[in-house]
Every structure is written in C-alpha cells, then in structure tokens.
Amino acid sequence: MDQAVRELSYAQAIQEAMAIALESDERVFLMGEDIGVYGGAFQVTGDLVERFGADRVIDTPISELGGAGVAVGAAVTGLRPIFEFQFSDFATLAMEQIVNQAAKMRYMLGGAVSVPVVMRFPAGSGTGAAAQHSQSLEAWLGHVPGLKVIQPATPYDVKGMLLAAVADPDPVMIFEHKLLYKTKGPVPEGYYTVPIGKAEIRREGRDLTIVATSIMVHKALEAAKTLEAEGIDVEVVDLRTIRPMDKETVIESVKKTSRLLCVYEGVKTLGVGAEVSAMIAESEAFDFLDAPIVRLGGAETPIPYNPELEKATVPQVPDILAAVRSLATGSR
Amino acid sequence: MTVAQAKAKNLPAGANLPFIYREYSAERLKLALHKMYLIRQFEEGAEESYMRGLIHGTMHLSIGQEASAMGICMPLTNDDQITSTHRGHGHCIAKGAEVSKMFAEFFGKTTGYCRGRGGSMHIADVTTGNLGANGIVGGGIPIAVGAALTAKRLKSDRVVISFFGDGANNEGAFHEALNMASLWKLPVIFVCENNGYGMSTSMARSTAVANVADRAAAYSMPGVIVDGNVLSEVAEASHEAVRRARLGEGPTLIESKTYRYRGHSKSDRNRYRTKEEIEDWMTNRDPIVRYENELMEFGIIDQAGIEAIREAVRKEIADGIEFAKASPSPEIRNLERYVYTETV
Ligand SMILES: Cc1ncc(C[n+]2csc(CCOP(=O)(O)OP(=O)(O)O)c2C)c(N)n1
Ligand SMILES: [Mg+2]
C-alpha cells in the first residue's frame, strides 16, 4: 500500500504515532503530567485528549515514581501504557520503578511476565532551562539489562520507532531531544515501524566514521557537508538504539573507514562513546584503526544557564569539524 | 460470644458469631487452618534448609503473621491479584501457590516459580494472581495501583491487594500510590501488615502518626485497623474492602497489627526488642493457636482433626523439600534467558 508522505515535525510525528497506537489497540493509553488539555509541556500530546478522552490520555498528579509504577503495573497486567515524563531529568525520581521493577520483573519471575511499557523522555540542553531540565541521562538507563533505550533522530524514525516500541513486549525508553521537536522531515501516513536495535547509515563515506546519537546526528551531517568541500569523506552512523546496540553496523563502518569519532550529548566519560569505543576496541575492527578513537561528549559539568556556557557544554558543529580534521590526518 | 452464650441469650443460631463463622463453610474454615499451618511449616522448613546450607542468600520469615496473610486472601479468587513484599511467603501460599514449587525456587531450581532467578525475595505465582514479592520496600504499591487501573479499564471484576509493612508507609511510593488510587477510585486494597518494626526501627521512632490507618484520611479512603492475629477480624475487613472495590467505590487502607517472631532476616541480633515482648506475643497471641481454639469452641474441629491437618501439612512440606532437592538446576548457558521477551 502506498502511504502518502508529508513533512511533519518530530513532535507531530510522535503525536501521530500515539494516535495510531490509540486507534488500533484498545490496550494503549497515555499517562503523564499535563498531557491532557494542556497538551504536554512540549505540546507533543496536543489535542489527543479531545480525540481519545481523558480515560486514555490520563493526566497524573505530579508523581513520577508513583506514575511510573502505575504504568509498570498496568503493563504487567495486560495494558500498553505510554508514560510521558515532563522532562527526562525527572527519571531520577522514578529510577526505582524503571530500574528495579520494569527492567527486572520478567527476569526475577523467570519469564512468567512481560512488561510492555513505553516511557518517553524529553531530553537534552539548548533551551536555557539550566541544570535540572537539560540533562541527557540515556546512558544511565542504557546500563540496565531488561530495558531497551532508543534515541530517534528524525521525524520518520521517531514515529516508526515509537510504534515499534508500543508493539515491543519489553520496556522501551525513548529519549527525545527537545531541540528536535520542531525539526521537520518526511513522514509517511499510516502504520509502519522502524526496528529497535538497528543503526542507520545517514551518509556514506570512505575516510572516517562518526557514530552519533540523537541531535548530534544532524550536527555530524552538517559538519560532513563542510568537510566534503575539504576533501574529507565522512560516514555518519546514526546509532538510534543504545541498548541493544547494533554492533555490526558500527564495526563494518569502522573497518571500512579505519577512523572513529563518537559524538553524543551526554557527559563524555562513562557514556555512550565509552561503550562504542570499547566495543570497537574489542572487535576485529580494532586492527583496522589508523588512529586512536576520539570521543566528543558533554562537558564534565552540570548544564549551565548562560547561553554561551550552555552551548560550550555540548559538542557543536565547529567542535566536530575540528575533531574530524585532526583525526582524519592523525595516525597511530 | 460463643455458640453456647448465644443460645443462652436466645439469639438465632450463629447470630453473633465472629464474621468468618457466619460467612464460610466448615470446609473453608478448616482449609484456612490448613493453609496457616502450611505457611508456618513452610517457613520452618525453609529456615531449617537454610541452616543446613541447602538455601543460600537470606530470607524474611513471617512466622506469627499467618492470620494476616490468610485473612486478607479469604475473599479473593484466583483472578484477583496481589503484590507482595520481602516478607511474602505467607501471601504467596495464602493466595494459592504450591509449596513444592516455592521450595524449588528457594533451592534455585528450574522447577521453581521463578525458574531459580528470583528466590525468596521475588517469589511469585502469576497463575494464582501473585504478581510477586519485592526487594524494594514500597516497590509493589504503585504496581498494584497499575494492576487495578487495568482491572478498571478492562471492566473486569478483579480487585488487587497490595501488601506492605509498617516501614513502607514512610516511602514516597506509598503516598503517591494511595493518592492516585483514591483519585481514580481504583479497585485496590492497601494492606499494611504492621508488625511493629521496620528492621529495628519501631513505629514510634519512624512514623509521625500513631496508626498507619490514620493516613487513609489524607487520601479520602477508609482506614481500618484490625487485630492481625485474629483471622476473622482480618477476613471481615478484607471482605468489606473487596466489596467496596468491586462496587467501584475505590480503595481501602487496612492496617493489620501483628508481630513477627523471628528476626528481621538472617542477620538480626534482636537488639531492639525484649525477650519478654517476643514471648508475650508467642504465648498469648499466637494467631494459629487462637484460631484453633475458636474452631474447637464452635465445634468445627476437634483435636484429632487438628492433628490430621498438621500431619497432612508435615507430609506436604517433606514432599515439597524432596521435590526441590530432586529438581534440576538452571544451566549456566541460560544465564541471559528472560532478560527480554523471546520472540520466536
Ligand atoms: C527502598 C528500600 N529501603 C531499605 C530496604 C532494606 N529493608 C528491607 S526490609 C526493611 C524493613 C521493612 O520494614 P517493614 O516495611 O515494616 O516490613 P517488615 O520487614 O517489618 O515486614 C528494610 C529497611 C529495602 N529493601 N528497600
Ligand atoms: Mg514491619
């Protein structure tokens, strides 16, 4: 069936995915703070409450721990909740339910239950919201077996991956960069899924691989354009899922280009870049490396308020350009 | 009032008998005694197996609290669900689990309820509606509310019970969960088994209200206090809460005042309570002894009948332990099984 393709924003694509899920599956419902008449802090749920009613678009009290637990309990007993955190930072109040309960229930019970809950986390800096409303905590959750953790970078992907998440029998955590909400891209109408656990090569190149996540994919692509004029042919791999990680795509890319730069917004150390680097160091791609791996991640600081400081905290296009230029010529 | 006293006052037979004697058949009442024995002997068996090195880790015994678990579960069907706690063996058995599969779990065997992945602290039997014990104090409370949300959305007749201890009532999860359950009038019943202590810390040293049930008022739900060592009192409160829940009238908070005879877990040196206190509960308020005395007083069972139940339970326990011993252990190559749902 041909599906008409329109330009939608990332937020609209999420909303459309949720509408399709609500329409096609009675078990699906949304929960979160101010997601009803308010439409969600980032207007992602919009007017879904008018279409589907307050029973299926449920405004919760400001109770992240309790709310997440209710979603887990509903999932275990047969429903398909999509739980929205107002900001990903507030995962810290619900870590108990996410990490100890949702992630482990199936295992602890020897496979007797599944926990098909979807949790959505508006994440990242760039909005001037400072230290407690700007974090990128995906690596925290990526560290937990039992969870699946995704970071879709485009409207197309976020719709397809959200629908895949709803269909997934296990808990899926979606980190949505807030600066992506207004970005636009082609999105087919109707139902489709984009697989969880599969990276995507956004740009093919010969000289160097950038493995990027979320908004950094776009920054990497922008840098790649500039670098093309300089004769540096960059391959950009959009990781899309950090758990389970698509090792094969990254390994194959690095074997081809022999150089690896990881770009991600979360704090640089002990994060996604560390995992990708270690994974390459442990793989057959290691022997192909012509230069040490380079990581560009968030600074070792809380996100500051001042806009210049805020920008300096996370990798920007000039940082990527500089890193690629030095890495492309560097050697072991 | 006893049957004899009722007769003397010319009341209709049984009019003033405690609740369960009016509500349940003699068979059900005897089965309740059977299960209370099963809980106690299961835990004694588990304790002994632990001492002998057959079970590793730790465990939290509910010996002394049997009437609480049993009374709450009496009005429930297999379709009703519970979330349980680290002190959850009694809940599991009262809800209908088989002791053989529980022993197998404690022994870490593949035939156990959790295929050896959960142990005592995560014991569950989803087939009889037990969504699992929990290693996190208060962790099961919001989950029960979520299960009740499912029950309401699917328009099922199901109710959900959340068991937790007195210590858990000071967790944020308790307060968030009670608020939402009441707000949305969900078919969930919060059962606080107040055994006086959260590990070493007494209610008086931890909790700003005298009774956990007092907190129900803050969430506009009934708060009911029962003697958790009197089966009929517990069952009656549960019955009423279940009735309310099934009618869509929302949650109830039941505080069941009871006592654990054993230490908190295997590491307890009992420095926070006196021997006299423990002995008083054991000799004067034991829930099984009290129930047995009632049953005999009301002519429902005699000494021989009680001995027959004890003997049957002893055999069930011995068979269960044998089953567990003879069962296979999980294979190391299956270590990562059940982390995610296998899609075939
Ligand atoms: C969140 C959390 N904090 C602390 C503990 C350690 N802990 C386990 S049981 C317990 C006492 C709980 O007391 P209560 O709720 O009264 O239950 P009881 O043990 O008396 O049955 C504590 C402190 C834990 N497991 N989880
Ligand atoms: Mg206690």
Side-chain angles (χ1 to χ4, degrees):
Chain A
M1 182 181 80
D2 266 353
Q3 295 169 322
V5 177
R6 307 109 332 135
E7 288 277 308
L8 288 189
S9 74
Y10 189 94
Q12 286 170 326
I14 298 171
Q15 187 181 120
E16 188 166 278
M18 293 196 293
I20 290 170
L22 285 161
E23 237 158 40
S24 58
D25 189 342
E26 265 300 309
R27 300 170 302 172
V28 174
F29 69 100
L30 316 183
M31 270 178 84
E33 292 162 14
D34 307 295
I35 65 167
V37 286
Y38 194 95
F42 298 96
Q43 291 304 317
V44 175
T45 44
D47 60 6
L48 288 178
V49 70
E50 282 159 35
R51 286 174 63 192
F52 297 98
D55 278 352
R56 297 188 71 200
V57 181
I58 302 175
D59 272 330
T60 68
I62 306 170
S63 302
E64 290 79 13
L65 169 64
V70 170
V72 170
V76 158
T77 50
L79 298 184
R80 296 264 169 173
I82 302 176
F83 186 79
E84 174 178 304
F85 281 84
Q86 202 157 70
F87 286 82
S88 67
D89 310 69
F90 309 156
T92 53
L93 286 93
M95 285 305 264
E96 196 296 273
Q97 284 293 332
I98 300 169
V99 175
N100 294 321
Q101 313 293 345
K104 295 175 175 54
M105 220 164 156
R106 178 173 176 78
Y107 193 83
M108 292 190 300
L109 270 58
V113 295
S114 289
V115 189
V117 66
V118 177
M119 296 190 181
R120 298 184 33 244
F121 300 92
S125 67
T127 64
Q132 297 171 336
H133 292 73
S134 303
Q135 297 170 86
S136 298
L137 300 178
E138 55 278 349
W140 282 30
L141 300 188
H143 195 65
V144 183
L147 301 180
K148 297 180 180 178
V149 183
I150 64 178
Q151 291 185 274
T154 66
Y156 179 92
D157 275 4
V158 81
K159 179 178 169 186
M161 292 185 92
L162 180 51
L163 285 169
V166 172
D168 198 287
D170 297 314
V172 181
M173 312 286 118
I174 307 185
F175 283 79
E176 306 161 359
H177 200 292
K178 284 164 287 191
L179 296 186
L180 291 176
Y181 280 139
K182 294 207 165 105
T183 61
K184 295 201 160 184
V187 178
E189 279 178 355
Y191 187 87
Y192 67 93
T193 58
V194 171
I196 292 167
K198 199 81 199 72
E200 172 87 349
I201 297 175
R202 293 282 171 206
R203 182 189 196 281
E204 294 208 26
R206 281 173 290 109
D207 299 334
L208 182 147
T209 297
I210 298 180
V211 172
T213 55
S214 187
I215 196 166
M216 293 301 158
V217 172
H218 301 283
K219 294 187 183 178
L221 287 169
E222 198 183 321
K225 240 190 240 163
T226 307
L227 292 158
E228 190 178 67
E230 297 173 21
I232 304 175
D233 190 13
V234 172
E235 177 145 307
V236 177
V237 178
D238 175 358
L239 203 51
R240 298 203 292 198
T241 302
I242 63 167
R243 171 177 285 274
M245 201 174 275
D246 179 356
K247 298 180 181 176
E248 203 182 301
T249 300
V250 179
I251 289 170
E252 286 313 310
S253 177
V254 173
K255 277 163 72 178
K256 182 173 76 173
T257 65
S258 301
R259 291 168 204 271
L260 173 61
L261 170 66
C262 303
V263 190
Y264 51 105
E265 180 161 329
V267 169
K268 179 180 167 183
T269 51
L270 295 159
V272 171
E275 184 53 40
V276 172
S277 309
M279 187 263 288
I280 289 300
E282 286 175 337
S283 79
E284 77 258 26
F286 181 70
D287 289 330
F288 290 74
L289 286 177
D290 285 340
I293 297 168
V294 175
R295 289 181 290 161
L296 278 182
E300 308 293 319
T301 160
I303 306 286
Y305 169 66
N306 172 287
E308 293 313 312
L309 290 182
E310 183 182 21
K311 267 193 212 128
T313 309
V314 301
Q316 304 296 346
V317 174
D319 302 318
I320 300 174
L321 289 172
V324 170
R325 285 178 191 131
S326 104
L327 178 55
T329 54
S331 61
R332 287 206 273 180
Chain B
M1 184 179 305
T2 66
V3 177
Q5 285 167 334
K7 276 188 186 146
K9 289 190 176 172
N10 274 331
L11 292 169
N16 261 354
L17 287 173
F19 172 78
I20 49 171
Y21 304 98
R22 288 176 271 129
E23 183 68 21
Y24 295 108
S25 69
E27 278 323 296
R28 280 292 303 278
L29 294 173
K30 283 189 239 178
L31 185 63
L33 181 66
H34 181 106
K35 282 205 181 179
M36 285 165 72
Y37 265 117
L38 204 54
I39 296 169
R40 181 158 301 183
Q41 290 195 26
F42 173 84
E43 292 202 311
E44 287 168 351
E47 189 176 36
E48 199 200 314
S49 302
Y50 179 88
M51 303 295 190
R52 292 171 51 203
L54 293 165
I55 296 176
H56 78 156
T58 189
M59 64 176 73
H60 306 84
L61 301 173
S62 68
I63 295 176
Q65 304 186 179
E66 295 87 350
S68 185
M70 192 59 229
I72 292 295
C73 290
M74 281 188 82
L76 305 183
T77 70
N78 269 356
D79 186 53
D80 295 319
Q81 293 171 327
I82 67 168
T83 64
S84 171
T85 71
H86 58 285
R87 204 173 302 288
H89 312 154
H91 310 145
C92 198
I93 293 171
K95 194 68 180 65
E98 294 169 36
V99 291
S100 56
K101 291 186 191 166
M102 289 176 68
F103 274 124
E105 185 58 34
F106 287 29
F107 280 58
K109 302 299 182 69
T110 56
T111 52
Y113 274 115
C114 310
R115 296 183 160 102
R117 270 69 167 184
S120 157
M121 210 151 29
H122 305 303
I123 194 73
D125 174 17
V126 179
T127 60
T128 56
N130 181 356
L131 298 174
N134 215 304
I136 305 298
V137 169
I141 309 176
I143 294 176
V145 175
L149 184 71
T150 301
K152 184 169 181 173
R153 286 231 24 221
L154 299 182
K155 298 190 168 59
S156 75
D157 203 30
R158 167 183 301 164
V159 302
V160 185
I161 304 278
S162 182
F163 286 105
F164 53 92
D166 47 291
N169 98 99
N170 293 315
E171 288 282 6
F174 165 85
H175 295 272
E176 295 186 18
L178 263 70
N179 182 56
M180 280 184 275
S182 180
L183 188 66
W184 298 331
K185 289 226 172 326
L186 298 178
V188 56
I189 297 152
F190 302 100
V191 178
C192 178
E193 298 188 301
N194 182 352
N195 56 14
Y197 301 87
M199 281 182 82
S200 68
T201 313
S202 66
M203 271 285 285
R205 290 176 55 230
S206 68
T207 304
V209 289
N211 306 292
V212 176
D214 296 347
R215 292 196 154 151
Y219 303 106
S220 289
M221 68 176 80
V224 184
I225 298 174
V226 295
D227 184 333
N229 284 19
V230 176
L231 182 72
S232 185
E233 265 199 43
V234 182
E236 184 166 16
S238 180
H239 211 269
E240 170 56 16
V242 168
R243 186 195 65 78
R244 260 178 64 82
R246 291 207 210 280
L247 285 176
E249 292 173 13
T252 302
L253 171 58
I254 298 174
E255 178 178 4
S256 176
K257 304 228 190 217
T258 182
Y259 199 78
R260 63 168 155 74
Y261 296 170
R262 298 297 196 269
H264 165 71
S265 68
K266 303 317 297 176
S267 65
D268 191 341
R269 295 178 301 168
N270 255 326
R271 293 258 175 104
Y272 52 88
R273 53 182 192 173
T274 60
K275 276 211 170 63
E276 291 71 37
E277 179 182 295
I278 302 170
E279 258 150 39
D280 176 47
W281 280 87
M282 289 176 69
T283 45
N284 301 318
R285 306 169 76 168
D286 184 81
I288 297 183
V289 171
R290 282 162 93 173
Y291 184 44
E292 269 179 6
N293 287 344
E294 274 182 10
L295 288 173
M296 289 199 287
E297 185 180 346
F298 300 149
I300 293 161
I301 203 166
D302 57 14
Q303 200 58 52
I306 289 173
E307 195 38 57
I309 286 178
R310 284 191 200 145
E311 193 45 44
V313 169
R314 268 196 286 275
K315 182 163 169 6
E316 216 172 321
I317 296 298
D319 289 351
I321 291 175
E322 280 318 305
F323 171 79
K325 279 187 189 161
S327 290
S329 292
E331 294 178 53
I332 302 291
R333 67 182 170 85
N334 290 330
L335 172 67
E336 292 180 7
R337 259 235 183 115
Y338 313 123
V339 176
Y340 295 101
T341 304
E342 301 74 18
T343 39
V344 274

